[in-house]
Amino acid sequence: MIQLIRGFKDILPGEVELWQFIEKQTSSLFEDFGFRDIRIPIMERTELFSRSIGEETDIVEKEMYTFADRKGDLITLRPEATASIVRSYIQHRMYAVDQVQKLYTIGPMFRRERPQKGRYRQFYQIDAEVFGVSSPLIDAQIMFMLTTLFTRLSVSDCTAKINSLGCPNCRPAFTAGLSGLLSEKADFLCEDCSRRSTRNPLRVLDCKVPACREAMADAPSILDYLCTECRSHFDSVMRHLTIMGVSFELDRRLVRGLDYYTRTAFEIQTSLLGAQSAIAGGGRYDGLVKALGGPDIPAIGFAIGMDRLAEIAAQQHSDLCRKPKLFIAALGKISQTLAFEWVSRLAATGIHAEMDMSGRSLKSQMKQADRLGAQHVLISGDTEIENGQVLLRDMITKEQSPLPVQDIVEALRNRFA
Ligand code: HAM
């Protein structure tokens, strides 16, 4: 028996309805905010991810599924969607039509992390990106859109954490100060942090190892180093979040696990998922389009962990399974052929009906109708057919009424459409 690969999972019928529901709510809301769907490939050249996410990040150092294809080219199963969407924006010169592009995508991502509840090696993201808007209004608007989605899905117990990571003008002074502290604390840092402390000191602020947390307890905050432009951008984001009634907490240590961020960075965290508290994360990445060979165009976005979202939303949406409107209990050869024809014709016109194709007893067919949750059963034996009338039974009230066989599909369509 061949089993699933560790960290991968099936999303089975019964669960999948919730995923479809989330997808529908997402696209309807995001499209009302002007976002358009984009589909990007599952694999890209490895270089795209290492250059955008950053060589010194956990994702690039340890978690990517990278392999050489048959010609020896290094390719990677996408660990996130932002880099691919940026590549696509540049490659198709979308900016030439309109710099401002609002794009979203939903799909699987791959990271070889240690699997546990809420953490998978294939997981799904709902990802949204906006290009060409430098105004802080968009930062506040996408966070408002994100929290509106959670509200629509009845997901509560979430906290938005927000920070600013500065820009290439003000961040170097902060990282220089941080590097000084890191060399003082070198003996207390974990292996990863010691290695990264010179090349990517921000990462240390994000480390979950308790010894590193303790060593960094008095670390300075980047907020004290922001330049005037970054400070006023950040103040404006917070002001507009308040105007829109989005509650948030300032988290001076939030740095995110990817290197492309500038200015606004945020995460939505929940207490409902144990160690995997981040349900969504994002921020501004004003330098990435240019760094990947495009024009100097600002951008911002976020991604929601859909597996985590579904786990939380499941408690609020337990009954999304689709039920047939009608079950046809056919008894006898002629009746079965007719039921087959009726069910097929009804389905073709948008009415979900079911039947039993193995010719079982009326009792077992009624049980099957019940199990499927059909609201009505059409009882149709060969004798009923001969008499030109079948019986329609309401499974809730238990009432039965006769229905002429002639033009029955039309009659059922009128009744159940
Ligand atoms: P990220 O924080 O790496 O950001 O991932 C976003 C979300 O994906 C996380 O908050 C989490 O809910 C979910 N996630 C990440 N790894 C796993 C995993 N192994 N299993 C289950 N869920 C997971 C990004 O990916 C950025 N691209 C977000 C972004 C878009 N920034 C700007 N635009």
Side-chain angles (χ1 to χ4, degrees):
M1 163 62 198
I2 300 170
Q3 302 264 351
L4 271 170
I5 309 173
R6 198 164 122 77
F8 288 63
K9 65 175 180 186
D10 299 312
I11 304 162
L12 301 174
E15 296 168 77
V16 96
E17 291 76 6
L18 174 60
W19 286 68
Q20 291 173 329
F21 176 71
I22 295 175
E23 283 158 8
K24 276 193 194 139
Q25 293 287 332
T26 300
S27 36
S28 142
L29 179 71
F30 286 15
E31 285 169 23
D32 287 343
F33 275 87
F35 284 75
R36 292 184 304 157
D37 193 354
I38 180 170
R39 312 280 165 104
I40 40 164
I42 301 259
M43 291 195 282
E44 298 268 5
R45 291 181 189 283
T46 303
E47 197 193 348
L48 174 68
F49 299 117
S50 50
R51 271 176 53 193
S52 40
I53 298 170
E55 297 278 3
E56 318 278 323
T57 56
D58 278 352
I59 298 178
V60 172
E61 274 184 349
K62 309 184 206 165
E63 296 168 1
M64 295 204 304
Y65 282 94
T66 295
F67 48 93
D69 75 358
R70 285 172 187 266
K71 286 240 171 89
D73 293 330
L74 271 192
I75 49 179
T76 295
L77 285 177
R78 61 182 187 192
E80 58 121 40
T82 311
S84 305
I85 296 182
V86 173
R87 181 209 36 76
S88 180
Y89 178 76
I90 300 170
Q91 184 170 347
H92 301 289
R93 296 172 51 83
M94 290 187 213
Y95 51 83
V97 182
D98 187 348
Q99 263 203 21
V100 179
Q101 297 283 340
K102 298 182 189 176
L103 305 167
Y104 78 95
T105 198
I106 302 176
M109 310 293 152
F110 304 85
R111 295 184 194 174
R112 202 177 187 291
E113 295 191 75
R114 197 165 50 78
Q116 56 175 241
K117 185 175 160 55
R119 189 159 74 193
Y120 310 98
R121 290 180 169 173
Q122 175 174 332
F123 60 97
Y124 292 74
Q125 282 188 345
I126 297 171
D127 183 279
E129 313 289 352
V130 180
F131 295 92
V133 185
S134 56
S135 163
L137 296 182
I138 197 73
D139 308 31
Q141 193 176 56
I142 62 166
M143 286 185 71
F144 173 66
M145 179 174 88
L146 182 55
T147 51
T148 304
L149 178 66
F150 287 180
T151 310
R152 281 203 188 169
L153 296 170
S154 313
V155 168
S156 47
D157 273 308
C158 286
T159 315
K161 304 255 171 113
I162 167 168
N163 195 15
S164 173
L165 299 178
C167 69
N169 291 331
C170 54
R171 199 187 299 167
F174 171 69
T175 40
L178 193 59
S179 299
L181 178 72
L182 289 176
S183 44
E184 273 170 40
K185 304 275 182 178
D187 294 345
F188 303 99
L189 302 179
C190 73
E191 216 178 287
D192 281 344
C193 288
S194 316
R195 187 164 32 82
R196 289 174 187 161
S197 56
T198 43
R199 289 179 64 187
N200 196 353
L202 274 189
R203 288 265 63 76
V204 182
L205 292 175
D206 194 36
C207 182
K208 304 284 181 293
V209 174
C212 297
R213 295 220 138 224
E214 205 176 304
M216 288 290 101
D218 319 318
S221 163
I222 189 157
L223 292 180
D224 302 325
Y225 288 75
L226 295 184
C227 60
T228 323
E229 290 78 14
C230 286
R231 182 76 246 178
S232 95
H233 184 99
F234 192 48
D235 288 343
S236 177
V237 174
M238 292 193 286
R239 204 167 51 248
H240 288 95
L241 285 174
T242 309
I243 290 173
M244 292 312 295
V246 177
S247 54
F248 61 90
E249 282 174 19
L250 191 65
D251 182 348
R252 303 162 75 86
R253 307 184 69 92
L254 182 75
V255 293
R256 309 272 302 122
L258 306 95
D259 280 355
Y260 45 62
Y261 293 111
T262 51
R263 295 193 166 169
T264 317
F266 58 90
E267 260 179 27
I268 311 283
Q269 297 177 358
T270 173
S271 53
L272 301 173
L273 284 174
Q276 301 315 311
S277 58
I279 182 164
R284 206 164 249 291
Y285 50 95
D286 289 342
L288 187 59
V289 178
K290 186 158 185 234
L292 290 179
D296 193 2
I297 290 177
I300 182 167
F302 64 78
I304 305 170
M306 211 178 154
D307 311 69
R308 294 180 190 176
L309 180 59
E311 270 165 50
I312 300 181
Q315 291 143 21
Q316 326 295 335
H317 306 277
S318 51
D319 195 23
L320 290 170
C321 282
R322 200 156 175 245
K323 295 176 178 127
K325 295 220 164 111
L326 180 72
F327 185 93
I328 305 185
L331 303 157
K333 278 264 176 303
I334 306 167
S335 164
Q336 257 214 339
T337 306
L338 282 174
F340 149 78
E341 194 189 324
W342 299 344
V343 163
S344 312
R345 290 201 192 291
L346 284 170
T349 51
I351 294 164
H352 179 194
E354 287 284 347
M355 67 177 285
D356 169 64
M357 292 191 175
S358 56
R360 287 184 297 175
S361 70
L362 179 62
K363 198 172 160 202
S364 6
Q365 292 198 44
M366 293 306 278
K367 270 194 193 157
Q368 192 184 349
D370 218 28
R371 209 171 41 245
L372 292 171
Q375 285 157 29
H376 290 88
V377 177
L378 196 71
I379 303 169
S380 156
D382 286 353
T383 335
E384 280 87 359
I385 301 286
E386 260 168 47
N387 296 337
Q389 281 204 327
V390 288
L391 282 176
L392 185 65
R393 180 180 169 87
D394 184 319
M395 293 296 273
I396 298 162
T397 62
K398 313 281 181 226
E399 271 168 31
Q400 295 192 164
S401 48
L403 208 64
V405 171
Q406 182 135 24
D407 298 327
I408 194 164
V409 174
E410 197 55 36
L412 292 170
R413 201 180 293 142
N414 290 338
R415 188 169 186 133
F416 294 115

